[in-house]
Amino acid sequence: MEYLDYYDEEGNYLGCETREEVHKRGLWHNTVHNWLYTEDGKVIFQIRKDSKKLYTTSSGHVNSKESVEEAFRRETKEEIGINIDSKSAKLIGISTWIMDKVKSGGTLNKDRAKAHIFIAPYVIDDMKEFRFDRDEVEGIALVDVIDTLKLFKHEKEQIEALFIMTIDGVNVEQKRLVSCEDFLTLNGETEIDKYGHILESIVKELRK
């Protein structure tokens, strides 16, 4: 069973509860949103299995007694199968996440999270190194960070992406064109509002 530490809205520790109870009661908890980028300016998005949309490189809850840095490493390993040292990661912000959603069966899920946003450089030695959590992730897509910002600002209609997906146990590469509709957003969100500050932070790191 998964346990999460929970806090008051100011971040003061209050206790530990099951993940189910945390979402049932709407308790504040920590999550991580992780973004990896390459030295040649590509950002790695994962392809969500449920929506078929592009989202963070990896993301998830911070378990009880786990640091956000440990969660960064664990979620990246679990979702896309690679080991990465959190010493290379930079925390660029903490965003507040509030969403109430009725799940199948009529249960109300109350999500109250502080999302710790990390960016980190990553060198891809071999496309075979990626191992995807088949319950959540279909693969990854590499897109140019500058082109993606232009796409989100509607200066481009489409950009090229390199998709890497596992087919019959083998990682297969395929180039595709993607548009704004291929990126995961919720009602009321725009792509530039959701991802723009993250991509701009990566651009700053690449220019150092």
Side-chain angles (χ1 to χ4, degrees):
M1 186 173 291
E2 186 176 1
Y3 286 86
L4 308 177
D5 292 332
Y6 65 93
Y7 308 81
D8 63 20
E9 196 166 352
E10 285 70 43
N12 299 304
Y13 176 77
L14 296 177
C16 170
E17 264 297 354
T18 64
R19 175 175 174 172
E20 180 180 25
E21 189 68 15
V22 164
H23 287 287
K24 180 180 179 181
R25 294 165 55 188
L27 302 175
W28 286 98
H29 58 283
N30 289 326
T31 62
V32 289
H33 287 186
N34 309 320
W35 297 86
L36 303 186
Y37 61 91
T38 64
E39 61 182 7
D40 63 343
K42 301 295 190 298
V43 181
I44 301 175
F45 282 81
Q46 67 171 247
I47 309 162
R48 297 298 299 170
K49 182 176 181 179
D50 51 2
S51 64
K52 315 301 182 187
K53 302 278 189 177
L54 306 185
Y55 190 45
T56 57
T57 307
S58 65
S59 59
H61 291 87
V62 179
N63 291 332
S64 179
K65 313 305 180 188
E66 183 180 45
S67 69
V68 291
E69 291 81 10
E70 289 169 337
F72 166 85
R73 294 194 301 270
R74 176 182 54 77
E75 288 291 348
T76 304
K77 177 66 174 178
E78 288 179 357
E79 294 193 351
I80 63 174
I82 61 173
N83 294 304
I84 185 165
D85 190 342
S86 60
K87 291 179 181 178
S88 66
K90 182 177 182 179
L91 180 67
I92 62 169
I94 302 173
S95 65
T96 299
W97 173 264
I98 300 175
M99 186 176 74
D100 294 341
K101 183 179 180 181
V102 178
K103 300 193 296 185
S104 57
T107 304
L108 180 61
N109 186 82
K110 299 179 181 179
D111 204 355
R112 305 286 186 275
K114 300 289 186 178
H116 294 68
I117 304 170
F118 286 98
I119 60 174
Y122 184 71
V123 177
I124 301 174
D125 294 318
D126 189 338
M127 296 301 179
K128 296 177 182 177
E129 67 198 61
F130 295 100
R131 294 289 182 269
F132 307 117
D133 178 355
R134 302 307 296 274
D135 292 330
E136 295 188 34
V137 183
E138 286 201 344
I140 58 172
L142 282 75
V143 292
D144 183 86
V145 61
I146 298 295
D147 284 347
T148 308
L149 279 168
K150 290 180 179 179
L151 178 72
F152 293 163
K153 293 175 182 178
H154 303 290
E155 296 171 9
K156 288 178 175 281
E157 292 185 1
Q158 292 180 315
I159 60 173
E160 186 175 83
L162 177 64
F163 279 62
I164 303 170
M165 305 176 72
T166 303
I167 300 175
D168 297 329
V170 178
N171 285 355
V172 176
E173 300 177 32
Q174 184 182 48
K175 290 185 178 180
R176 302 183 193 174
L177 292 176
V178 295
S179 62
C180 285
E181 288 72 26
D182 292 301
F183 293 82
L184 181 63
T185 57
L186 300 176
N187 289 336
E189 292 181 330
T190 65
E191 294 80 17
I192 193 64
D193 288 339
K194 190 177 185 72
Y195 302 116
H197 67 292
I198 298 162
L199 299 181
E200 287 167 356
S201 295
I202 291 172
V203 170
K204 289 180 181 178
E205 291 300 309
L206 288 168
R207 288 176 175 170
K208 286 183 177 179

